[in-house]
Amino acid sequence: MRPVNEERRATLITFDTNEKVFHLTNQKISYLFQVEESDILAHIYFGKKIQKYHHHKKYPRRDRGFSGNVPLNDDRSYSKDTLPQEYSGHGGMDYRLPSIMIRRENGSNLLDLRYEKHQIQKGKLTLDGLPQAYVKEENEAETLIVTLKDRQEDIYVDLAYTIYRDRAIITRSVKVRNESESSIMLEKAASFQIDFTNSGRFDEVIALPGAHVKERQLSRQTISDGIKSFESRRGTSSHQMNSFIVLTNKYTTEFVGEAIGIHLVYSGNHSFEIEKDQINQVRLVGGINAYNFSWELQPSDHFQTPEVILTYSDQGLNGMSQVTHQLLQERVARGTHQYQQRPILVNNWEATYFDFTSKKIEAIVDEAKTLGIEMFVLDDGWFGKRDSDQSSLGDWFEYQEKLTRGLKGIADYVHQKGLKFGLWIEPEMISIDSKLYRTHPEFMMQEPNRVPAASRSQHVLDFTQKEVRMAIEKQLRQLLDSIEIDYIKWDMNRSLSDVYSASLGKQNQGEVMHRYVLGLYEMMGNLTKAYPHILWEGCSGGGGRFDAGILHYMPQSWTSDNTDAVERINIQYGTSLGYPISAMTAHVSAVPNHQTGRITRLKTRSDVAMGGVFGYELDLTKLSADEKVAVKTQVDFYKQIRQTVQYGDFYRLKNPFEQNIASWEFVSKDQNEVLLFLSRRLANAQPDFHEVCLVGLVPEKLYKNQKTGDIYSGSELMTVGIYFPDFYGDFQTELIHFISIDKGEEVNESND
Ligand code: DGJ
């Protein structure tokens, strides 16, 4: 037997030189493709690991009318129009979605990509200026770079594939190099393409569409004839269509069947285009949205696309989510707080909105201290002359008249009480009514000679310009250097419009959207690196920029501005498809709920919020004595279970998008602690009895319900299951906490 460490060094990527087949494989997955006739890169397979490939799945040949042939190849049965490929150029009789489009100075745009060479190396590439999944040591992954070249000109495309040793994950990205003598215009540059033949393995897609206060709603659809795009054109990854999708099929359930989760590690305009072709094959192309995009490549220039993460599972959607959660938590998120238990906070936004004083804040802080809350966050309204959303964005200095004891006074007060202090900022924005606008109107993103469109009475700063970013970064550094701040909420409250930068030439205006995102990443990178002790939380009017790119800088994000417990169940359920629980913040707010007017019990609100990184967003001083007792109990309880919630394994059990009930479950990594969430939306006079079977437990272990004392074996909970409580009334929830006991305890109990 080979020693373990030698086995761990097993090669993950091989190239069969006779058959010209690449095989990326580990103990879980295989990814196969080959250099086909005329040096075209053809896809063969992605899915469950195979032992060895014997080269019999060569794409069949057939002469199909109107699907023409490859130049200089007389075989009429071989066409790019049907061949499954790895990355398609444009023109030359492949009429399906291209992955890349260029335009030359003379206007021509044919790009005929052929295999040129490849290289296999340890570890993973570093993508300059872009967030990405990383490795901690070289041995953790291997990377294959396949270089394609235009048949005629020195235009190169490097396809990078990384396979992790111990994860069911492939990452991909693309570098386009212009080594020709003239400049070219890149009009589209996808991060990946994946073609599937007509096997029925992938005939459905799950996307996460939504809206402000309605983010990431599960939408499962059949892939039908023609082309469909899941995309954002708003300059951000957006509330409207998240940058995560799943390829699956109609037989896949939460626990059974195949699924591929696909994260674009990017926070700007994205698109996942899906095409079902003339012979029912499926092509998926994803990356930066080609809408309003172009990028000039001078001779010797290159363009790097964002990375895409492909996670595979044959254990259903939960299996896919778990592989995805682990990767995002362990190899996308970074920094001091990556694995740290997150503090329970109270945020003053829904408590006061803009209407607060130092005194009011201190009263909330006093109450927070009594209730065991660990952090106070001062939200919007502390800077410039900000009394409403009409002014002051860009003026990141304290509003002295409002904060009579000063921002430092508040921070000190909070710290003296033994709590952490957090602050809200919105660095990418400018108000017309601001000192910044009065001194630098040119910092605002706008088209020449046009009045730009306002949204929430605010405008976007031109973050493509270094000078603009530096001006904001300087102010923020002054703030962070002068006041002890433990947490920052980085908000962004509008979509981009009037997309133009005065600093770029007319042929470069198609670069603005992407340059904006690169500028944002640069600043987020600078600040999170310079202030690593700060817990950074992303936010964009709730979850408008909840994506894997932001997660690389900020380990958590505000999930939604919708704090209604009932609607939050769906939002959190949908979000969990692609994102780990440690990334999802969830707060208990007041009733009637400010977004829906709905009244729910405090217990319901807290049971739902405990499905994420927990906090409060209400005026604690207005709670009744009974409510304070309840809140103190909730806070104490969350402290007990938070390691399991934030860093355990998460399972979706009952889907609220399909039923009147919902259920999810957290299991600690050692499988000794379980938290089961159950809910029912609307009451019926003659209700069904709902049941649920738990998952992820040790069959032989005994688990005790901490409230009732009832003891169950793991196998019993997983197969016989339990009933939902006999709920009475609408919007009811229950949290059941099980802890494993040793068998001795059961015997003692039954002897009593
Ligand atoms: C939008 C955020 O999502 C809210 O939580 C709050 O911070 C407001 N912005 C403040 O303007």
Side-chain angles (χ1 to χ4, degrees):
M1 218 168 68
R2 279 190 300 169
V4 173
N5 55 356
E6 209 177 290
E7 208 144 81
R8 287 191 61 78
R9 281 200 298 272
T11 304
L12 302 173
I13 302 175
T14 53
F15 180 61
D16 184 309
T17 42
N18 292 328
E19 303 287 340
K20 297 191 179 166
V21 170
F22 294 97
H23 190 179
L24 290 76
T25 189
N26 58 22
Q27 290 307 313
K28 299 173 167 141
I29 50 169
S30 280
Y31 192 114
L32 284 161
F33 60 101
Q34 78 181 111
V35 183
E36 257 275 15
E37 239 178 274
S38 301
D39 292 333
I40 297 166
L41 213 54
H43 182 77
I44 301 173
Y45 172 80
F46 175 38
K48 193 178 168 78
K49 175 202 171 61
I50 58 157
Q51 292 307 322
K52 183 168 165 45
Y53 177 56
H54 287 87
H55 310 292
H56 300 311
K57 194 103 192 281
K58 195 175 157 82
Y59 190 69
R61 301 302 197 248
R62 186 184 180 94
D63 183 0
R64 292 185 191 270
F66 292 83
S67 289
N69 313 120
V70 177
L72 303 178
N73 183 330
D74 292 335
D75 183 354
R76 284 178 54 163
S77 67
Y78 184 58
S79 173
K80 278 200 200 176
D81 200 22
T82 50
L83 182 72
Q85 289 164 70
E86 281 297 303
Y87 200 77
S88 296
H90 173 248
M93 292 217 132
D94 184 353
Y95 297 97
R96 294 173 293 172
L97 289 164
S99 281
I100 177 168
M101 291 179 76
I102 62 155
R103 182 132 343 241
R104 297 180 185 79
E105 280 170 348
N106 65 6
S108 74
N109 70 351
L110 187 108
L111 190 66
D112 186 355
L113 295 174
R114 307 294 177 98
Y115 169 82
E116 171 89 359
K117 62 175 183 177
H118 73 271
Q119 179 191 329
I120 296 170
Q121 60 192 58
K122 281 187 168 180
K124 201 162 181 294
L125 300 180
T126 303
L127 311 184
D128 274 353
L130 285 166
Q132 64 181 120
Y134 56 89
V135 290
K136 284 204 168 155
E137 42 183 82
E138 268 204 335
N139 195 33
E140 217 181 291
E142 276 176 23
T143 296
L144 164 69
I145 301 162
V146 182
T147 298
L148 307 179
K149 179 185 171 300
D150 177 50
R151 196 163 59 86
Q152 207 89 13
E153 280 172 318
D154 287 338
I155 299 169
Y156 296 89
V157 174
D158 298 326
L159 307 182
Y161 300 78
T162 296
I163 178 164
Y164 280 84
R165 191 170 294 282
D166 300 318
R167 300 172 192 271
I169 285 175
I170 303 274
T171 67
R172 290 182 59 177
S173 66
V174 174
K175 187 191 263 189
V176 185
R177 291 182 285 124
N178 179 16
E179 305 293 341
S180 76
E181 307 275 289
S182 348
S183 78
I184 55 171
M185 203 54 101
L186 203 53
E187 294 180 340
K188 178 177 187 180
S191 296
F192 81 113
Q193 166 183 328
I194 191 157
D195 281 7
F196 294 100
T197 47
N198 179 16
S199 63
R201 276 182 68 211
F202 298 104
D203 58 12
E204 284 195 351
V205 61
I206 306 176
L208 298 175
H212 178 232
V213 296
K214 195 186 171 193
E215 295 88 339
R216 292 172 296 284
Q217 307 288 299
L218 280 185
S219 165
R220 190 165 178 161
Q221 307 172 19
T222 303
I223 298 172
S224 51
D225 296 324
I227 296 175
K228 169 136 196 180
S229 182
F230 299 91
E231 61 174 37
S232 165
R233 299 175 170 208
R234 295 166 178 269
T236 61
S237 49
S238 86
H239 302 85
Q240 286 74 10
M241 188 60 74
N242 193 261
S243 51
F244 175 75
I245 61 162
V246 181
L247 270 181
T248 188
N249 66 62
K250 53 180 164 300
Y251 303 109
T252 293
T253 66
E254 279 288 7
F255 292 100
V256 179
E258 291 196 295
I260 297 176
I262 304 166
H263 260 297
L264 185 68
V265 190
Y266 190 60
S267 311
N269 286 349
H270 60 83
S271 74
F272 293 110
E273 298 167 285
I274 299 180
E275 176 168 9
K276 187 168 173 185
D277 74 9
Q278 55 179 334
I279 52 170
N280 298 315
Q281 303 179 131
V282 173
R283 170 171 292 180
L284 170 60
V285 172
I288 294 179
N289 198 330
Y291 166 81
N292 206 2
F293 169 86
S294 61
W295 196 275
E296 189 181 24
L297 282 180
Q298 296 285 353
S300 303
D301 272 0
H302 71 263
F303 180 82
Q304 174 63 59
T305 73
E307 181 169 87
V308 71
I309 299 171
L310 309 172
T311 60
Y312 173 79
S313 177
D314 62 353
Q315 310 286 307
L317 298 173
N318 268 307
M320 179 280 304
S321 291
Q322 291 200 345
V323 179
T324 308
H325 291 180
Q326 282 160 18
L327 196 266
L328 261 57
Q329 200 166 60
E330 295 166 11
R331 293 293 181 270
V332 176
R334 299 173 295 175
T336 316
H337 300 274
Q338 182 183 3
Y339 294 112
Q340 270 185 20
Q341 292 191 0
R342 311 287 163 74
I344 300 173
L345 64 78
V346 59
N347 175 306
N348 74 310
W349 178 242
E350 286 200 18
T352 65
Y353 296 102
F354 296 102
D355 186 16
F356 57 84
T357 57
S358 291
K359 217 168 145 216
K360 174 73 209 168
I361 296 301
E362 286 174 9
I364 294 178
V365 174
D366 291 347
E367 209 55 72
K369 167 75 183 166
T370 316
L371 297 173
I373 290 170
E374 299 159 314
M375 179 157 78
F376 169 75
V377 176
L378 184 59
D379 211 279
D380 196 352
W382 60 267
F383 54 93
K385 297 240 175 285
R386 181 98 162 159
D387 286 316
S388 74
D389 58 18
Q390 311 278 314
S391 84
S392 303
L393 293 168
D395 296 349
W396 300 110
F397 46 82
E398 70 185 53
Y399 187 174
Q400 279 164 347
E401 295 84 343
K402 188 166 181 176
L403 301 177
T404 41
R405 290 179 215 173
L407 193 59
K408 184 163 183 323
I410 293 185
D412 289 348
Y413 188 84
V414 173
H415 286 132
Q416 276 155 21
K417 291 270 165 187
L419 273 72
K420 292 180 187 301
F421 176 63
L423 196 65
W424 177 97
I425 56 174
E426 192 177 0
E428 298 151 73
M429 296 292 150
I430 184 165
S431 307
I432 300 281
D433 182 6
S434 68
K435 194 171 160 219
L436 184 70
Y437 185 78
R438 285 187 282 277
T439 43
H440 287 292
E442 76 284 4
F443 280 8
M444 187 166 88
M445 193 176 275
Q446 58 191 311
E447 295 244 349
N449 310 317
R450 281 175 182 266
V451 177
S455 178
R456 206 198 190 203
S457 304
Q458 63 191 58
H459 297 270
V460 183
L461 284 166
D462 180 1
F463 260 34
T464 68
Q465 296 192 47
K466 183 117 193 150
E467 192 196 347
V468 177
R469 298 197 301 271
M470 291 306 292
I472 299 298
E473 193 175 317
K474 192 170 158 210
Q475 287 195 62
L476 294 178
R477 281 176 183 265
Q478 269 162 10
L479 177 73
L480 298 175
D481 289 340
S482 57
I483 293 169
E484 206 186 322
I485 295 175
D486 307 294
Y487 157 109
I488 287 283
K489 176 176 172 189
W490 181 309
D491 205 348
M492 199 279 192
N493 282 301
R494 60 162 288 171
S495 307
L496 269 59
S497 70
D498 304 271
V499 176
Y500 182 91
S501 177
S503 66
L504 295 169
K506 68 169 188 235
Q507 74 283 16
N508 301 109
Q509 292 302 325
E511 300 174 13
V512 174
M513 288 279 203
H514 183 52
R515 285 191 187 277
Y516 178 91
V517 179
L518 292 178
L520 172 71
Y521 287 151
E522 183 195 271
M523 191 157 144
M524 283 188 168
N526 291 345
L527 289 169
T528 52
K529 202 164 159 205
Y531 302 91
H533 65 283
I534 291 180
L535 170 60
W536 298 83
E537 175 161 335
C539 177
S540 175
R545 210 165 45 187
F546 202 115
D547 59 63
I550 296 296
L551 191 76
H552 194 57
Y553 304 94
M554 309 194 170
Q556 61 187 48
S557 270
W558 181 220
T559 309
S560 177
D561 272 349
N562 188 342
T563 57
D564 173 79
V566 178
E567 299 212 319
R568 261 299 181 119
I569 292 174
N570 290 43
I571 293 171
Q572 291 174 202
Y573 197 94
T575 305
S576 79
L577 192 70
Y579 298 90
I581 305 305
S582 59
M584 252 163 57
T585 56
H587 300 169
V588 174
S589 61
V591 288
N593 176 267
H594 294 192
Q595 292 78 44
T596 60
R598 191 179 348 250
I599 295 178
T600 52
R601 296 181 307 158
L602 183 55
K603 173 174 167 49
T604 298
R605 285 173 270 153
S606 136
D607 285 354
V608 175
M610 284 194 199
V613 174
F614 187 64
Y616 291 84
E617 182 140 350
L618 43 72
D619 188 345
L620 296 173
T621 65
K622 294 201 176 129
L623 294 176
S624 69
D626 284 351
E627 284 173 329
K628 282 182 192 165
V629 172
V631 167
K632 173 98 182 60
T633 311
Q634 290 164 4
V635 168
D636 291 345
F637 179 61
Y638 190 74
K639 286 177 186 168
Q640 265 183 60
I641 54 151
R642 87 174 125 190
Q643 181 66 29
T644 296
V645 171
Q646 295 175 4
Y647 299 105
D649 290 329
F650 175 81
Y651 299 91
R652 289 176 300 275
L653 302 180
K654 300 281 177 194
N655 184 347
F657 291 93
E658 291 170 356
Q659 309 171 65
N660 193 27
I661 54 167
S663 176
W664 57 61
E665 180 194 355
F666 299 93
V667 181
S668 63
K669 287 287 179 197
D670 62 8
Q671 294 167 295
N672 284 329
E673 183 174 45
V674 183
L675 193 75
L676 177 69
F677 169 81
L678 304 168
S679 78
R680 187 189 64 185
R681 200 176 297 126
L682 296 180
N684 315 99
Q686 197 61 271
D688 295 350
F689 287 135
H690 294 290
E691 297 165 61
V692 65
C693 288
L694 280 71
V695 289
L697 312 185
V698 180
E700 303 77 33
K701 274 195 179 169
L702 295 175
Y703 293 88
K704 183 172 174 179
N705 179 326
Q706 296 299 293
K707 193 161 144 200
T708 62
D710 293 344
I711 291 171
Y712 307 77
S713 63
S715 60
E716 193 182 340
L717 285 171
M718 292 195 288
T719 52
V720 180
I722 59 170
Y723 284 111
F724 275 51
D726 190 13
F727 287 132
Y728 186 71
D730 292 341
F731 322 129
Q732 300 293 311
T733 56
E734 190 58 273
L735 265 189
I736 305 182
H737 186 206
F738 297 95
I739 296 187
S740 74
I741 56 168
D742 60 35
K743 297 210 169 152
E745 197 181 329
E746 185 190 29
V747 173
N748 291 341
E749 291 204 347
S750 56
N751 286 344
D752 284 345

